[in-house]
Amino acid sequence: MKVLVVGSGGREHALCWTIAASPLCDALYCAPGNPGIARDAECVPISPEDIPALVAFSKQQAIDLVVVGPEGPLAAGLVDRLGEHGIPAFGPTAGASALESSKAFTKDFCARHGIPTAGSRTFEELDGALTHLRRCNLPVVVKVDGLAAGKGVTVAASLETAEAAVRAAMEHRSFGPAGDRVVIEDFLQGVEASFFALSDGTTTLPLAAAQDHKRAGDGDTGPNTGGMGAFSPPPAVDATVSRRIMETIIEPAIAGMAAEGRPFHGVLFAGLMLTDDGPKLIEFNVRFGDPECQVLMARLRSDLLPALLACADAHLRHVDLRWSDDAAVCVVMASRGYPGPYRSGSPIRAVEDAESDPEVMVFHAGTASDAAGALVSSGGRVLGVTATGADVASARSRAYRAVERIDWPDGMFRTDIAATGAEVTP
Ligand code: AMP
Ligand code: GLY
């Protein structure tokens, strides 16, 4: 098979690393990729947003499967355009991507299909939203409807903060059209977890659960980021909780999308709050999480490629995936300043030293090669230092030992990734 992976982050590196190991894979391309991905795939300089160029490349190379990493091209219809040319793709159509690209759609969808989630109301007018806020209990959660690169959610402890979030979206239009509608939702109390399942439109296959760390600073302080680290499995999601998540959230969602004429193919990522009242949906994403994907791929023991293909051609019922009982931990090394302004182009050394441990894998995200071919930083999140171990505690200490070996003075990382998971591990 000839496979094209779309994207250039740590998630796409983990996918390329896994797919490259498949005996079914004859040729692997990544658009646009990065220097780490270049070890596993041939990088082609096409932007994930350039749909016509991705379609043309796939036709020209007779690609057998396109695996789409990020949500942007999914919501923009990449899978639909590829389908028009007979090119199979892993990922949902634009219509099915509404589960991520519109929070208002998703809230209504959950209500239609009895999927447990926080109570909410959606507003299209500033005045209505502000009036409603005054009647809400605090804390309250304000979300812009559309895609906002993880920045569209405000958990507000005060009315002033909540009002400012509504005004930012609807009055100052800080999120553009993504903020035309705003969802105001009840605050859920509990433990957060991410759960992943594959679907071919009708059949579902649970993957595994993970927990990520969204805040920039230790102790969950500082601004929200794309994710500063992740670990799997999270102790709160045992077999019973997994079954309940499948039965009350994933399966009704896949059946509901099929019934509404938007069958969902790809990976459904449920961001959950495990409450006293059972698991409740915080949000759906229609792609793998980053850095959750890195820890999932580190724990996967089966060939991923047939499973991805089965999602595209509706054969998922024939697929079974095995997972290691080992745990995996990913510590993200980011440019100092991220998620605010940071500088790019600073040299990163000794990544090979970190990788000398066979249980360590360093996934690249914002990296580049300078004119002399040396590795330099080129983004906010730069490396995902991932380690496996018999339990979360040992994977965690191995990951941090590897982080310490990397010579990158401009980098920063959280020191408490997976700390809670490590404490509770038996
Ligand atoms: P999201 O971008 O939708 O993943 O939201 C970012 C973060 O906001 C989540 O990871 C949660 O920590 C928090 N959050 C979102 N919705 C709620 C809610 N209804 N109750 C409590 N926390 C929430
Ligand atoms: N790590 C969260 C996400 O990928 O959305």
Side-chain angles (χ1 to χ4, degrees), residues 17-294:
W17 175 71
T18 307
I19 294 168
S22 169
L24 295 175
C25 181
D26 300 313
L28 179 61
Y29 302 92
C30 187
N34 64 41
I37 290 175
R39 292 182 298 190
D40 297 307
E42 184 179 324
C43 295
V44 287
I46 304 174
S47 157
E49 311 300 328
D50 190 348
I51 292 180
L54 292 169
V55 172
F57 177 83
S58 302
K59 279 172 67 178
Q60 194 189 348
Q61 296 294 329
I63 297 292
D64 297 296
L65 183 69
V66 178
V67 179
V68 187
E71 63 277 16
L74 293 169
L78 174 57
V79 171
D80 309 61
R81 301 292 87 74
L82 289 165
E84 287 160 10
H85 291 89
I87 302 158
F90 174 79
T93 59
S97 300
L99 284 180
E100 176 164 357
S101 63
S102 171
K103 294 201 192 285
F105 169 83
T106 302
K107 296 305 291 195
D108 290 345
F109 176 84
C110 287
R112 288 196 291 279
H113 298 282
I115 296 171
T117 181
S120 73
R121 284 190 54 189
T122 299
F123 294 90
E124 294 180 9
E125 306 287 345
L126 178 67
D127 290 346
L130 292 177
T131 307
H132 176 70
L133 269 186
R134 284 177 213 121
R135 291 195 289 261
C136 289
N137 294 324
L138 294 171
V140 66
V141 185
V142 177
K143 302 184 170 185
V144 305
D145 173 54
L147 294 179
K151 298 185 178 79
V153 175
T154 305
V155 178
S158 70
L159 185 59
E160 295 70 51
T161 309
E163 282 186 1
V166 167
R167 286 187 190 280
M170 302 186 108
E171 194 171 47
H172 311 307
R173 303 194 48 82
S174 308
F175 299 91
D180 282 349
R181 290 192 287 182
V182 161
V183 173
I184 297 177
E185 128 179 332
D186 300 340
F187 177 78
L188 296 172
Q189 202 111 42
V191 176
E192 275 191 75
S194 306
F195 191 89
F196 297 84
L198 296 179
S199 173
D200 65 0
T202 47
T203 303
T204 55
L205 179 68
L207 294 176
Q211 199 166 314
D212 83 340
H213 298 70
K214 287 205 175 77
R215 301 295 201 93
D218 281 355
D220 290 331
T221 55
N224 257 318
T225 71
M228 293 299 291
F231 66 97
S232 175
V237 187
D238 59 15
T240 310
V241 174
S242 294
R243 251 195 317 278
R244 186 143 178 208
I245 294 167
M246 286 301 291
E247 285 167 10
T248 63
I249 294 172
I250 304 289
E251 284 162 7
I254 298 303
M257 291 299 276
E260 295 190 9
R262 310 180 186 223
F264 184 93
H265 298 255
V267 58
L268 188 59
F269 161 178
L272 303 166
M273 193 69 85
L274 308 176
T275 71
D276 291 343
D277 204 17
K280 293 197 177 179
L281 182 76
I282 295 177
E283 59 164 6
F284 279 128
N285 295 301
V286 300
R287 41 143 184 110
F288 281 108
D290 186 342
E292 291 94 326
C293 187
Q294 290 82 317

Side-chain angles (χ1 to χ4, degrees), residues 344-364:
S344 282
S346 66
I348 305 168
R349 298 187 192 89
V351 173
E352 324 69 62
D353 292 353
E355 286 182 318
S356 61
D357 180 337
E359 301 230 45
V360 170
M361 179 65 207
V362 179
F363 295 114
H364 288 225

